[in-house]
Amino acid sequence: MRKSRKQKLENQAKRQSNLRKLSREKRRPNRDDLARVLLWQMITAAKGRSRPEKALSKVCDSLLTELLKQGFSEHETEQVFWELAQKYDPALSPFRPKRHLGA
């Protein structure tokens, strides 16, 4: 007999909860964690170049190309990028400690 929609959703919620718990126990980063760190590294590396504005523009253009394909607004994407670029200081990590990982 087929499972009801409610039962399928309950099973899915349990699986996802177990996966999140296992990830926490293993201290496994997810793709958003990796993407955040990678973007920070790209921005801070660009700021360390001899012409940081040019390097940052290249990073922005690369991200913009892909995000436009996904349907995001050009203006809003550029605004978000430049706000992050101003905020990210190469000498400081912008990330909060992950208390659930014991950091």
Side-chain angles (χ1 to χ4, degrees), residues 1-35:
M1 180 176 269
R2 293 178 63 182
K3 294 180 183 178
S4 70
R5 178 164 168 73
K6 182 178 178 182
Q7 194 174 23
K8 286 180 184 179
L9 292 174
E10 287 173 1
N11 289 343
Q12 180 183 12
K14 286 178 188 175
R15 278 193 312 274
Q16 289 174 339
S17 177
N18 288 337
L19 283 173
R20 284 191 299 272
K21 182 181 177 189
L22 184 60
S23 290
R24 269 193 309 275
E25 289 171 1
K26 287 182 167 183
R27 300 171 62 124
R28 181 184 176 98
N30 63 28
R31 74 172 173 197
D32 290 339
D33 296 319
L34 293 175

Side-chain angles (χ1 to χ4, degrees), residues 38-91:
L38 180 60
L39 180 61
W40 175 73
Q41 288 178 337
M42 291 172 67
I43 289 173
T44 56
K47 284 184 169 187
R49 303 284 256 207
S50 60
R51 295 177 51 193
E53 288 299 317
K54 184 177 180 182
L56 285 168
S57 289
K58 284 184 178 183
V59 173
C60 182
D61 290 346
S62 178
L63 292 170
L64 184 61
T65 298
E66 293 304 316
L67 291 170
L68 287 176
K69 288 179 189 175
Q70 294 179 35
F72 289 98
S73 159
E74 181 174 355
H75 171 74
E76 295 298 323
T77 300
E78 287 179 332
Q79 187 174 353
V80 169
F81 175 82
W82 289 107
E83 287 171 2
L84 285 173
Q86 285 180 327
K87 186 166 125 177
Y88 288 173
D89 181 341

Side-chain angles (χ1 to χ4, degrees), residues 24 27-34 36-37 93-103:
R24 269 193 309 275
R27 300 171 62 124
R28 181 184 176 98
N30 63 28
R31 74 172 173 197
D32 290 339
D33 296 319
L34 293 175
R36 246 184 255 107
V37 172
S93 172
F95 307 111
R96 295 181 186 149
K98 302 284 187 174
R99 301 286 183 221
H100 65 281
L101 298 175

